[in-house]
Amino acid sequence: MAKTESVQDTCVLVTGGCGFIGSHTVVVLLERGYEVVIVDDLSNSSEKVLDRIDQIVGDDAAQRLTFVRADVADKDALDAVFDEFQIDAVIHFAGYKAVGESVEKPIEYYSNNIGNTLALVDVMRNHGCKSIVFSSSATVYGDPDALPLTEESPKKPATNPYGWTKWMIEEILASLVVADPEWNVVLLRYFNPIGAHASGLMGEDPKGIPNNLLPYVAQVAVGRRDAVHVFGDDYNTPDGTGVRDYIHVMDLAEGHAAALAWMANKTGCEVFNLGTGTGTSVLEIIKAFSAACGRELPYVIEPRRAGDVTANYADCTKAREVLGWEAQYGIAEMCRDSWNWQSNNPNGYEG
Ligand code: UD1
């Protein structure tokens, strides 16, 4: 974001801006006064989210939003975007994200996630835009030796191709800075994003059977599925179920805005954990969601899921001290907002 410090004149390209985290981030950016261009091929998202964004931010702010339906790997389409708009910075969300599917389709995952990133940074460089925020994941820490995880905790081998793509894209972006010190790279390592916009107009809308815990629990709550399958109750945790650092998607969206504001006029490569610092077990999530929806949600204990770690949670000191960002919401609010979204939109955007 080299050219200006004024948010009003700053145009941000958001790849994957129609997806779960992308759409919530777009709302925050528009509310902050940024101009936003979304590039999304809608392969795992719905165009209907654009109407919801408009409803939330209002007509004036919505005028600062442009949607381009394109694959980020399509360099001609990206070139056209950079020709038309004076893009100051990019937030790169677009990518395949289903862990299990990545094991079945490694070629598709490596070629899509890494290929689209390489296409993007090539086009960015050709247009003199060298500021990028990348949507990374706590998955790069693998099975941790010690908790909480700081940005200095070692990266560990990924357990699936999805995880490797996050791992490798971090390395690719770090290499850009080594080769050309004008690059400005921020790697945001998300812990487990859940929740929804408080309006109930936007939320997570996975296609097919959800892989992740929260959308599955929400679908049980709304009657689309019978019971939550708890993957293992024999972990070395207080109640035996897996522990994760769940973070409200609006906190995560604010984290992107904080990163963008911080990186303006800087260069280099910085890594930040975005989590809450608190670990929550699967059973605690089911209990919190039951309280949010007013009904005891049924669950069954299943064997462990391959590749799952026992526990992880973040140390977010760096984000607090450097970005001035800290998560605001707890598990009760995350479940409340997730339930509000799911109960108002039982079948997601297409419902
Ligand atoms: C998963 C991915 C991670 C990715 C993240 C993206 C795996 C192994 N890891 O993280 O690489 O970055 O999603 O959001 O898939 N659980 C159940 N029942 C379910 C689903 C999950 O008990 O139906 C448990 C899991 O065992 C885990 C916890 O809930 O203990 C969270 O699981 P999930 O939401 O899938 O996230 P992660 O596995 O942490």
Side-chain angles (χ1 to χ4, degrees):
M1 206 156 71
K3 287 136 203 131
T4 173
E5 281 186 59
S6 163
V7 160
Q8 309 306 334
D9 302 325
T10 302
C11 183
V12 185
L13 168 61
V14 181
T15 76
C18 293
F20 175 44
I21 307 171
S23 58
H24 290 77
T25 301
V26 166
V27 162
V28 169
L29 296 180
L30 291 170
E31 287 176 340
R32 292 280 166 92
Y34 288 96
E35 191 180 336
V36 176
V37 180
I38 294 176
V39 171
D40 196 307
D41 66 358
L42 303 178
S43 59
N44 192 29
S45 56
S46 166
E47 201 169 357
K48 292 187 179 151
V49 77
L50 297 167
D51 295 333
R52 305 293 179 90
I53 292 173
D54 286 7
Q55 279 186 59
I56 291 168
V57 302
D59 289 344
D60 284 353
Q63 282 175 5
R64 283 184 272 104
L65 174 62
T66 305
F67 169 61
V68 177
R69 182 172 184 170
D71 181 343
V72 176
D74 180 347
K75 283 190 183 178
D76 291 339
L78 277 187
D79 260 326
V81 168
F82 278 84
D83 283 341
E84 186 176 349
F85 298 92
Q86 181 64 47
I87 306 287
D88 297 293
V90 176
I91 306 182
H92 181 35
F93 292 105
Y96 295 161
K97 62 174 187 181
V99 171
E101 187 183 60
S102 80
V103 177
E104 311 292 319
K105 298 180 175 175
I107 297 174
E108 283 77 6
Y109 268 69
Y110 287 118
S111 106
N112 182 69
N113 291 8
I114 295 177
N116 79 10
T117 305
L118 289 172
L120 174 65
V121 292
D122 190 25
V123 172
M124 287 175 67
R125 169 183 62 176
N126 293 340
H127 289 266
C129 174
K130 296 183 180 176
S131 293
I132 184 166
V133 177
F134 176 60
S135 187
S136 190
S137 167
T139 200
V140 302
Y141 294 119
D143 201 354
D145 295 326
L147 293 171
L149 288 154
T150 73
E151 290 79 358
E152 272 71 49
S153 300
K155 284 172 79 169
K156 294 279 204 76
T159 53
N160 54 73
Y162 158 80
W164 278 119
T165 67
K166 295 293 180 193
W167 211 105
M168 290 183 204
I169 293 166
E170 285 198 352
E171 300 300 314
I172 290 167
L173 297 178
S175 301
L176 297 182
V177 179
V178 173
D180 174 358
E182 287 181 5
W183 275 94
N184 189 4
V185 172
V186 171
L187 307 174
L188 298 180
R189 291 180 181 157
Y190 314 148
F191 281 68
N192 288 56
I194 64 169
H197 192 268
S199 62
L201 289 168
M202 285 191 344
E204 190 168 12
D205 182 21
K207 294 199 162 94
I209 301 172
N211 301 300
N212 297 116
L213 178 63
L214 251 291
Y216 202 101
V217 171
Q219 291 191 6
V220 171
V222 86
R224 269 170 80 180
R225 314 217 173 258
D226 291 339
V228 183
H229 299 268
V230 177
F231 297 147
D233 68 349
D234 56 352
Y235 285 105
N236 184 21
T237 60
D239 66 18
T241 64
V243 166
R244 297 290 184 275
D245 185 343
Y246 296 93
I247 174 168
H248 197 296
V249 67
M250 289 308 294
D251 276 331
L252 206 51
E254 293 286 349
H256 289 77
L260 260 189
W262 172 79
M263 76 195 290
N265 300 317
K266 288 191 181 62
T267 56
C269 180
E270 285 291 342
V271 183
F272 296 97
N273 285 339
L274 296 184
T276 63
T278 304
T280 304
S281 74
V282 176
L283 293 182
E284 286 171 331
I285 287 284
I286 295 172
K287 198 171 163 201
F289 210 101
S290 297
C293 73
R295 174 169 81 89
E296 286 304 309
L297 296 177
Y299 64 88
V300 286
I301 306 292
E302 304 274 359
R304 294 183 180 191
R305 181 173 68 178
D308 273 352
V309 301
T310 300
N312 75 2
Y313 49 91
D315 180 325
C316 300
T317 309
K318 185 177 175 189
R320 187 178 69 238
E321 290 182 350
V322 178
L323 301 179
W325 170 90
E326 198 170 13
Q328 303 297 315
Y329 298 111
I331 289 293
E333 290 142 324
M334 299 182 214
C335 291
R336 174 199 68 195
D337 292 340
S338 178
W339 169 240
N340 189 32
W341 152 253
Q342 194 72 55
S343 53
N344 282 308
N345 306 269
N347 296 307
Y349 291 110
E350 303 301 329

